[in-house]
Amino acid sequence: MSESALMNCYPRLPIAFTHGKGIWLYDKTGKRYLDSFSGLAVTALGHAHPAVTAAITSQADKLMHISNQFVVSEQELLAEELCKLANLHQAFFCNSGAEANETAIKLSRLYGLKKNINVPQIIVTEKSYHGRTLATLSASGKRSLQVGYEPLVRGFIRVPYNDLKAIEKILKMRQDISSIIIEPILGNAGVVVPDQDYLPAIRQLCDQHEILLIVDEVQTGLCRTGTIFSYQSADILPDILTLAKSLGNGIPIAACLTKTQIADLFKPGKHGSTFGGNPLSCQVALAILKFIDKTNLTAHVNKISQLLMQSLKDSLQAIDEVTAIRGKGLMIGIELNQPCADLREAALQQQLLINVTAKNVIRLLPALTITEEEVDLLVKKLTTTLKNYFTTTITC
């Protein structure tokens, strides 16, 4: 019998936190730990950010939830702000990235049916990650997510990431494609950054074949890569955009944005969410957008990311086990030459919290508000962790 009443779904580290502040988390003894991955890119403004706390407190005192059978003013305001930033027209709010991607998949199928495609197909990529619902894990390119859940949802055609010729080949062969869903950067696969012309070329192919371009920015959205949305650095516009994670800084909220002609495929009763777009989560998201604009957060991210990247390269160059340092903005992957999931535990000795993905890549997703002094501490703690790890008898 398990010692915990919780299902065993996570590889938890043996530590619990009582509170946080900015980039720091504190345990019950008062010891503080530098959080380098922000709850997987969620707490983008850091823990207990005053603007978020104020929004929660103020809204909770008035109204936290109301059915979507009524007008939700906060939801209307948030939709307007997001659509203006994204240059899209309408939004649907839900609670997680997986739900946002489910929404996009549903719209894609309705779009295909409107084009008289009986069984619409969606092009997806290898090593992608779109969520853990049956449809989104079926769309994802990580086989370990899918094992045991067969039969998977059909309707997805997989191609290698950053391979335009593979997409071109599919589009020449088949007439039943309704959309392509793509991540601007593969986060779960180890922070894989595609060629600069990859997204623009996909946009052009979608236009040529009259199919939808769905951009999954659940992890990259809202300044993470140095622009409000990562696709903006490629100078393109998606047909559908999905967001989550940093949109609520810890409060569950996600969004699917699209153009009016695509949004019109939904009619009342075709899709919905009980908790999606509740006043509390929307008010928090509005506060976050206001902070991003007021502080010019994108400029800070671009400046601080250059410092972090250079500091990592300078400090880790003498460690032979480090084979690559890559990324964009404050989304950085440090690839090692061997699997090392247990590096997370080793980092605790330096009071550092890190995430290891793709078995051998340290994924850094620090709060976007990280300071120069905190960058210096992060690099020092990580360097010490790696040096100690590779000079002991610990094996991966």
Side-chain angles (χ1 to χ4, degrees):
M1 183 177 178
S2 174
E3 295 180 0
S4 173
L6 293 171
M7 291 187 185
N8 185 23
C9 293
Y10 308 100
R12 300 183 193 271
L13 291 172
I15 186 170
F17 300 105
T18 58
H19 63 287
K21 189 68 176 176
I23 201 168
W24 300 97
L25 283 169
Y26 297 80
D27 67 15
K28 61 183 179 182
T29 69
K31 186 182 292 186
R32 73 174 189 171
Y33 294 77
L34 195 156
D35 181 2
S36 77
F37 65 103
S38 310
L40 296 176
V42 170
T43 51
L45 301 190
H47 301 286
H49 192 278
V52 175
T53 301
I56 293 171
T57 304
S58 174
Q59 188 61 43
D61 193 47
K62 294 184 288 187
L63 184 65
M64 293 176 61
H65 173 80
I66 190 166
S67 168
N68 279 305
Q69 295 184 48
F70 303 97
V71 173
V72 182
S73 300
E74 296 81 5
Q75 191 177 137
E76 296 277 354
L77 290 172
L78 179 58
E80 288 180 14
E81 289 298 316
L82 283 174
C83 287
K84 182 168 61 177
L85 288 171
N87 197 24
L88 292 170
H89 305 144
Q90 291 183 289
F92 175 83
F93 292 108
C94 42
N95 310 293
S96 68
E99 291 178 60
N101 285 329
E102 285 270 354
T103 304
I105 290 167
K106 285 185 175 182
L107 284 169
S108 175
R109 290 192 170 187
L110 290 173
Y111 176 79
L113 290 173
K114 189 175 181 180
K115 291 180 64 180
N116 296 315
I117 301 173
N118 292 329
V119 185
Q121 304 290 309
I122 301 174
I123 295 177
V124 296
T125 68
E126 295 173 359
K127 300 182 179 180
S128 61
Y129 178 78
H130 300 295
R132 291 182 181 272
T133 62
L134 273 176
T136 55
L137 68 82
S138 297
S140 297
K142 190 173 181 181
R143 180 58 184 152
S144 61
L145 292 175
Q146 302 166 343
V147 174
Y149 298 123
E150 294 86 353
L152 300 176
V153 176
R154 294 183 295 178
F156 300 104
I157 300 174
R158 206 169 309 283
V159 298
Y161 190 72
N162 200 28
D163 187 338
L164 288 170
K165 290 184 178 180
I167 298 175
E168 290 172 348
K169 182 179 179 180
I170 295 295
L171 291 175
K172 286 179 181 179
M173 291 171 52
R174 306 187 62 138
Q175 303 299 315
D176 58 354
I177 307 299
S178 62
S179 68
I180 297 174
I181 183 168
I182 200 82
E183 293 172 272
I185 296 173
L186 294 182
N188 197 265
V191 190
V192 179
V193 183
D195 296 336
Q196 186 63 34
D197 64 347
Y198 184 55
L199 288 179
I202 292 177
R203 174 70 274 178
Q204 187 175 13
L205 286 172
C206 289
D207 291 338
Q208 290 174 358
H209 294 270
E210 297 184 346
I211 63 175
L212 302 179
L213 173 57
I214 303 169
V215 178
D216 176 350
E217 294 228 25
V218 169
Q219 187 170 143
T220 57
L222 294 179
C223 303
R224 175 56 60 184
T225 64
T227 50
I228 296 293
F229 305 115
S230 191
Y231 70 79
Q232 292 171 332
S233 66
D235 195 26
I236 65 164
L237 182 65
D239 298 298
I240 300 176
L241 169 67
T242 59
L243 302 169
K245 290 188 180 288
S246 58
L247 185 58
N249 209 70
I251 295 295
I253 183 172
C256 178
L257 311 181
T258 187
K259 299 173 181 177
T260 298
Q261 61 268 34
I262 301 166
D264 284 348
L265 295 169
F266 277 158
K267 304 298 179 185
K270 293 293 287 184
H271 193 49
S273 171
T274 298
F275 297 104
N278 64 76
L280 181 68
S281 63
C282 287
Q283 196 65 271
V284 168
L286 283 165
I288 290 168
L289 295 183
K290 183 177 180 180
F291 179 86
I292 288 172
D293 179 62
K294 182 179 178 181
T295 61
N296 194 10
L297 191 58
T298 53
H300 173 75
V301 168
N302 284 307
K303 177 183 177 181
I304 210 77
S305 65
Q306 291 179 18
L307 173 63
L308 176 56
M309 184 67 81
Q310 191 59 54
S311 296
L312 287 168
K313 290 178 178 178
D314 292 342
S315 189
L316 302 181
Q317 63 180 340
I319 300 177
D320 294 336
E321 290 80 4
V322 175
T323 61
I325 302 173
R326 58 177 177 263
K328 192 173 184 180
L330 287 175
M331 186 176 183
I332 296 173
I334 302 166
E335 185 172 343
L336 307 180
N337 64 3
Q338 56 188 279
C340 48
D342 56 345
L343 190 60
R344 298 186 310 146
E345 292 195 31
L348 290 180
Q349 301 302 314
Q350 299 301 318
Q351 293 170 231
L352 173 66
L353 306 176
I354 63 171
N355 175 241
V356 174
T357 190
K359 296 183 179 180
N360 67 325
V361 179
I362 301 167
R363 178 170 41 166
L364 300 180
L365 300 161
L368 305 180
T369 52
I370 188 172
T371 65
E372 292 185 13
E373 292 77 14
E374 289 166 341
V375 163
D376 186 53
L377 278 171
L378 169 55
V379 174
K380 286 180 179 177
K381 286 176 178 289
L382 182 59
T383 303
T384 301
T385 296
L386 289 172
K387 286 181 176 178
N388 290 346
Y389 184 78
F390 289 117
T391 54
T392 64
T393 57
I394 297 176
T395 57
C396 296

